[in-house]
Amino acid sequence: IAPTAEVAQIGGTAVLISLRLIAEGSVATFLHSHPKGNYVRIKLTNPHFGTVHVWSIYAPADGTQRRDLFLKMAAHVNSESLLMGDFNCVEDVALDTRRSANTPYANAGADVLTFIKVYNKLEDQMRCQLGYHFNFTRSESDDTGRYCSTRIDRHYLPQLTEYIWDSEITDLLIVNSDHSAVKSTLRSAIPGSDVLYGHDLITINPRILEEDNYRSKIESLIKEQINNIDDTKIQKVIGSLKYKVRKLMLTMTKEYTTSIKLAVKNIDDRINLLHEKQRHNPRTDYEQRKSDLFARKQEELIKLSAPTQSFSHNRTLSGEQNSSNFWRRIFPITRGRKGIIKINKVDDWTNPPAKNTLTPNQTQEIAKEASKYYEYLYLPQQETNQTRHAKQ
């Protein structure tokens, strides 16, 4: 712990170490504390990831004092250092600030801090995960509409062999503060190890915004925060709501993805079932429909040409009986969609016969020949002289 030197003030910096970490073989050694409480530094040796120099920092609000502090720190920071705290400045004003004022942002000391980070190959993992997006750890506003949101609380993390860092901004680790916390977790980078590694960037499915369930849950969260607004600061309420909404969106995205996967699996199962059924049925649906069509058309032809009907054709089977025009006059047919053959209505015939002069044997012969003609039309891929003549 490094308390402030001012008697009238309460504050400073500290590093809290888990007793469980010590029990598992880690060794913590105190190195140095700033006389005014601006930082405390310890050495943490772990049997798994090695040695890390942990810094807890609270940089002065005054720009000159802040820059002097960073200059003095630079001589003691190395590639094994882990810098965490409130730096009271940002590395990139465009990425890490949102404010209403038009005056330049007081950012003294940022150049020294950036040099320390680059020279020792430390990483601001939170900025890497945000990309070019904005997030903040502290927000100020007043009744005139002026506001300032910044990401002044950060972690600068060392590179550890076979391990990676995950960082996030959260409001669940602290109370009674106008700052959000930064949480960094060290995970094994070896696939198949006991410790899971790496959190991907959060991707939200925009379709959940259309769900009634999502809107009702958001409404409940807002009401819950409104009820707590009298017990804490407005910045804390906003930060807590932001965290809970992001968590809700991530949860609902996972649920939506799961439902989509189940629907796709159901479709795949149905397709596979149809394929399996088709594999065990050597006769295809096409052949079945063709067979049924031939049987049905021949029955219709016999009925149309029967002597009991009040209409027939007055020609005999000699002469034009092998002509397709002859059969079309007796049995008017057209080719429908997808090769389906249909018989036109009797009312559509041109010059319908007035008297039946065909014998039953002639009627059967006509039905037989016309049935063959249907087959020629239905199977155009079987090209022979006979079918070519029939199609003409």
Side-chain angles (χ1 to χ4, degrees):
I1 186 172
T4 179
E6 299 294 334
V7 179
Q9 294 180 348
I10 299 176
T13 55
V15 176
L16 198 62
I17 304 172
S18 169
L19 293 178
R20 179 181 175 183
L21 194 65
I22 302 300
E24 292 176 351
S26 296
V27 178
T29 305
F30 172 78
L31 296 178
H32 183 69
S33 62
H34 193 270
K36 294 184 179 181
N38 290 120
Y39 67 80
V40 61
R41 177 164 55 103
I42 69 167
K43 178 182 178 181
L44 182 65
T45 303
N46 182 273
H48 300 290
F49 56 78
T51 300
V52 176
H53 293 183
V54 182
W55 295 64
S56 179
I57 302 167
Y58 176 60
D62 180 79
T64 303
Q65 296 179 14
R66 183 168 62 244
R67 197 171 192 278
D68 290 342
L69 175 68
F70 293 157
L71 287 172
K72 293 177 180 178
M73 285 174 48
H76 304 283
V77 177
N78 55 34
S79 59
E80 297 178 345
S81 297
L82 191 161
L83 311 181
M84 55 184 181
D86 178 0
F87 295 92
N88 263 316
C89 65
V90 297
E91 280 195 69
D92 193 320
V93 176
L95 290 178
D96 292 323
T97 62
R98 295 291 186 273
R99 52 201 294 266
S100 57
N102 294 324
T103 56
Y105 180 73
N107 206 37
D111 56 337
V112 180
L113 190 60
T114 301
F115 170 79
I116 292 174
K117 183 194 79 168
V118 174
Y119 183 80
N120 295 287
K121 298 180 180 180
L122 306 180
E123 194 70 61
D124 180 1
Q125 182 63 24
M126 193 69 245
R127 168 46 57 201
C128 294
Q129 294 176 192
L130 287 172
Y132 291 102
H133 297 284
F134 172 73
N135 204 343
F136 63 91
T137 59
R138 187 169 189 268
S139 180
E140 301 176 276
S141 60
D142 57 27
D143 296 336
T144 63
R146 294 182 299 179
Y147 67 91
C148 180
S149 299
T150 56
R151 195 173 66 90
I152 57 176
D153 305 276
R154 300 186 296 282
H155 288 180
Y156 292 102
L157 308 170
Q159 300 178 15
L160 300 177
T161 305
E162 297 182 350
Y163 287 87
I164 60 174
W165 292 97
D166 294 321
S167 297
E168 63 176 307
I169 296 175
T170 175
D171 295 287
L172 301 183
L173 302 179
I174 53 177
V175 293
N176 298 327
S177 174
D178 57 352
H179 291 248
S180 298
V182 180
K183 175 184 175 182
S184 293
T185 306
L186 185 65
R187 304 181 185 276
S188 173
I190 302 176
S193 60
D194 294 336
V195 181
L196 297 178
Y197 71 96
H199 286 307
D200 294 333
L201 293 180
I202 294 177
T203 301
I204 302 300
N205 192 320
R207 291 186 179 275
I208 67 172
L209 304 178
E210 305 171 2
E211 300 287 338
D212 294 335
N213 187 29
Y214 170 78
R215 289 193 288 268
S216 62
K217 289 184 178 180
I218 289 294
E219 184 178 355
S220 300
L221 287 178
I222 294 175
K223 290 181 179 179
E224 178 183 345
Q225 298 302 317
I226 291 176
N227 294 333
N228 298 332
I229 198 170
D230 296 332
D231 301 329
T232 185
K233 296 182 180 180
I234 184 63
Q235 290 86 357
K236 181 69 175 179
V237 174
I238 294 174
S240 178
L241 177 63
K242 178 180 66 174
Y243 176 82
K244 292 179 179 179
V245 169
R246 286 190 299 185
K247 185 176 181 180
L248 172 63
M249 296 175 73
L250 179 59
T251 301
M252 293 198 65
T253 294
K254 292 180 179 179
E255 294 175 352
Y256 186 86
T257 302
T258 301
S259 65
I260 292 298
K261 288 182 178 179
L262 289 176
V264 172
K265 183 179 182 301
N266 185 35
I267 294 174
D268 288 339
D269 291 343
R270 292 173 61 186
I271 292 176
N272 292 334
L273 182 62
L274 289 174
H275 288 171
E276 187 69 15
K277 182 179 178 181
Q278 186 69 24
R279 188 172 66 86
H280 288 86
N281 293 332
R283 190 171 187 180
T284 64
D285 292 341
Y286 170 82
E287 293 173 340
Q288 183 65 40
R289 289 198 305 270
K290 182 180 69 173
S291 177
D292 295 343
L293 177 68
F294 290 161
R296 186 168 65 253
K297 295 306 177 184
Q298 185 157 353
E299 291 178 2
E300 294 178 2
L301 290 172
I302 294 174
K303 292 180 181 179
L304 288 174
S305 304
T308 55
Q309 301 294 329
S310 59
F311 48 82
S312 181
H313 199 279
N314 57 6
R315 290 181 182 271
T316 63
L317 294 180
S318 61
E320 295 185 8
Q321 60 181 1
N322 292 325
S323 170
S324 60
N325 292 331
F326 169 75
W327 299 119
R328 186 164 287 138
R329 284 199 299 271
I330 298 180
F331 304 107
I333 56 178
T334 58
R335 183 173 183 178
R337 296 179 59 188
K338 298 182 180 180
I340 302 301
I341 307 305
K342 63 180 180 179
I343 299 178
N344 293 340
K345 296 180 180 179
V346 176
D347 295 341
D348 295 337
W349 293 6
T350 58
N351 301 320
K355 183 179 180 181
N356 180 14
T357 60
L358 297 178
T359 64
N361 291 336
Q362 292 173 333
T363 301
Q364 293 292 336
E365 186 67 21
I366 291 174
K368 180 179 178 181
E369 295 297 329
S371 178
K372 293 180 180 180
Y373 181 68
Y374 277 107
E375 184 174 357
Y376 299 154
L377 290 181
Y378 200 83
L379 297 175
Q381 67 275 17
Q382 299 179 1
E383 190 74 8
T384 64
N385 292 333
Q386 188 178 7
T387 55
R388 190 179 299 110
H389 176 70
K391 284 191 294 184
Q392 290 175 354

